[in-house]
Amino acid sequence: MTETAPDLDRLRGDAPPRNHDARTIAALTANPGCARRGLMDAAGVDKDAVARHLGFPAPFGQSQFAITRGNAFEAQVKADGCAELLTLLRERLGLDVAEVAYDDLEVVAGNEGRELRHTRTRRLLARALETGEGTLFDHPLLRLEIAGRLAYLEPDVIAFQVRGRLHVIEIKSFAVVDGQAEPEQVAAAARQSAVYVLALRRLAAELGHDPGRVSHEVFLVCPENFSNRPTATPLDVRPQLAVLERQLARLTRVDAILEALPGDLVFEPGDALAESVRAVEARYAPECMAGCEMALFCRDEARACGATGALGRSIRDDLGGVDTIATALALADGSLHPSDDLAETAAQLRAAARLRDEALLAARGGAA
Ligand code: SF4
C-alpha cells in the first residue's frame, strides 16, 4: 500500500494532494473500471484544475451562492457547541442525550496536518467506543482504503454517540418542504453518508470493536420550509452501504495501473498534460457527466475515436470486447471477420442489422 505512494505523489508534480471526500468516493464507485479516474484520485490530482487547463472545465459544481448558503447554515447549526443540533436530536427525534461533550477535530493544537488529525480522531473514537465518553465529534478525519491505497476523507460530518452507538450526522443546505426533499438530493446525501459510515465501521474494526457499533441510521439535518430553521430526518443507508462495499471491491488496483504506465508520467500543467491524461485508459460513459470533473474531456476523446462507451454503458457492456463503433458496424455488415471471442457478438450484430434492414424496407413499403 505504501510502496506505490512515492510514485503516486510524483504524478501530481509540485501540486499538493487533494483529499477525497464522500462525494468523490461515491462518484468513483459509479465507474469502478475507469483506470484514469482511479489513478488521478488515488494520487490526489486536482481533476477540476486539470480539466480546466485542458479547456474542458467540469460541467457541474455548486454556485458560489449555494456554497455560501450551505456554509452559513452549517455554522448556524454548529454554533455554541452544536446547541441547535442538540435541541433537534432531543426534541424532534426524542433521543435521550443527557450530558454533552463536543470535540472539534478540524485543527489539532493549531496544526491542520492530516496525520495528526487522523491520530486524534482515532484516539477520541477509541475512547468513545471503550468508555462511552464523548458525544459529538465534529470534523473527524477518517481514512478508507481505495483501490489498495489509504485515502483521507475530508470531513464535513459529525460523529454522534448515543446509547453506545455512533451515528453520522450530515448537514445539508437543501430544503425539506412539508416533510419532503428533492429525492435526488436525498439519495446523494445517503450515498455520501454511507461512505462515512463505512469508514467509521472500518476504524471501529481496526480498534478491535464490533463494526456494528456504528449505526446504519444516519441523521440528515436540513433547513425546513424555506426558513433557516433546521430539521432532522433519520436515514437508513444499508442499501447504499451494500453498493459501496461491492463497488470498492471491484475498483482496479492502483499499483496494477501504475505498472503499465511510463515512469515519467506527470499531470502537471503544460503542453504535455493532454498526452499524459490520454496515456491512462478511460472508460467514458454518459453517466460520467454527473460525477466526474474530467467528463467533457473524456467525452470528446471517446467521440473522436468512436468509442462504444460514448453511446452508454449498457451498449458498451452489450458489445463487450468491441471498443469502437466502426468495428461494430463492420462486424454487423460482415466486412470484418470476427475473432473467435467475438463470434457470438458479431452474429448478434448481423442479426440486429438484418432486422433493421427488414424494418426499414417494411416502413418504405407501407409508405409507398
Ligand atoms: S469522466 Fe473520464 S476519468 Fe472520469 S470516470 Fe469518466 S471516463 Fe473516467
Side-chain angles (χ1 to χ4, degrees):
M1 201 178 304
T2 50
E3 280 169 18
T4 57
D7 293 332
L8 286 169
D9 288 341
R10 176 184 48 75
L11 290 175
R12 287 193 314 277
D14 292 330
R18 272 187 70 114
N19 278 345
H20 270 292
D21 58 26
R23 188 187 65 78
T24 62
I25 291 176
L28 179 63
T29 57
N31 194 355
C34 180
R36 182 176 295 167
R37 175 165 195 149
L39 186 70
M40 292 177 93
D41 279 343
V45 173
D46 184 344
K47 298 199 300 304
D48 195 31
V50 168
R52 265 185 283 117
H53 190 82
L54 292 170
F56 293 92
F60 51 80
Q62 271 192 315
S63 69
Q64 194 51 47
F65 173 76
I67 292 170
T68 308
R69 184 172 187 272
N71 290 343
F73 179 67
E74 185 177 335
Q76 174 200 325
V77 172
K78 289 182 176 177
D80 302 323
C82 294
E84 211 165 346
L85 179 62
L86 284 164
T87 307
L88 263 182
L89 296 170
R90 285 187 178 123
E91 295 178 2
R92 299 272 182 94
L93 300 177
L95 294 176
D96 180 18
V97 189
E99 286 180 35
V100 172
Y102 170 79
D103 293 286
D104 189 347
L105 307 173
E106 189 164 26
V107 178
V108 179
N111 190 325
E112 295 180 6
R114 300 190 301 185
E115 277 300 333
L116 203 58
R117 288 174 56 201
H118 178 66
T119 303
R120 181 147 184 254
T121 296
R122 272 180 80 96
R123 189 158 45 77
L124 290 191
L125 291 179
R127 193 187 65 188
L129 289 165
E130 270 156 34
T131 67
E133 267 183 68
T135 317
L136 294 164
F137 304 93
D138 197 358
H139 304 110
L141 188 57
L142 303 169
R143 287 194 310 203
L144 195 60
E145 192 181 324
I146 309 289
R149 189 170 192 253
L150 285 175
Y152 286 90
L153 290 180
E154 191 63 51
D156 63 353
V157 292
I158 297 175
F160 165 57
Q161 177 174 229
V162 65
R163 296 189 211 111
R165 294 189 93 190
L166 285 166
H167 295 257
V168 163
I169 298 177
E170 179 102 56
I171 301 170
K172 293 286 183 193
S173 59
F174 58 81
V176 172
V177 180
D178 295 333
Q180 301 285 326
E182 194 68 50
E184 275 182 20
Q185 289 181 310
V186 176
R191 280 197 300 273
Q192 291 171 20
S193 300
V195 174
Y196 289 116
V197 171
L198 184 64
L200 275 169
R201 283 190 169 177
R202 295 206 171 155
L203 178 58
E206 268 175 44
L207 294 168
H209 295 279
D210 174 10
R213 296 275 302 276
V214 180
S215 176
H216 55 259
E217 185 178 62
V218 307
F219 299 119
L220 183 60
V221 176
C222 299
E224 187 174 32
N225 295 340
F226 305 113
S227 71
N228 276 341
R229 201 176 56 234
T231 185
T233 316
L235 263 186
D236 182 343
V237 298
R238 271 177 293 188
Q240 291 79 10
L241 269 173
V243 171
L244 180 66
E245 290 197 83
R246 195 168 60 239
Q247 297 292 65
L248 282 178
R250 288 178 58 203
L251 285 177
T252 311
R253 286 188 63 90
V254 171
D255 43 9
I257 301 170
L258 263 178
E259 257 176 45
L261 293 170
D264 57 353
L265 190 85
V266 61
F267 298 113
E268 267 182 332
D271 294 345
L273 181 58
E275 200 185 322
S276 297
V277 173
R278 286 198 192 98
V280 191
E281 195 183 341
R283 277 174 67 87
Y284 176 78
E287 293 84 346
C288 293
M289 295 298 284
C292 182
E293 293 86 346
M294 297 296 297
L296 288 178
F297 177 85
C298 295
R299 185 179 69 176
D300 185 70
E301 177 190 54
R303 283 179 176 171
C305 69
T308 49
L311 301 176
R313 197 171 292 158
S314 62
I315 293 179
R316 182 180 56 206
D317 292 347
D318 286 347
L319 293 175
V322 181
D323 293 332
T324 68
I325 297 167
T327 306
L329 292 175
L331 288 171
D333 67 18
S335 57
L336 180 69
H337 187 69
S339 54
D340 287 350
D341 54 332
L342 288 182
E344 193 181 332
T345 307
Q348 287 172 346
L349 281 167
R350 282 196 301 275
R354 201 168 49 246
L355 287 172
R356 177 178 178 275
D357 288 345
E358 286 170 11
L360 286 176
L361 206 61
R364 282 193 209 113

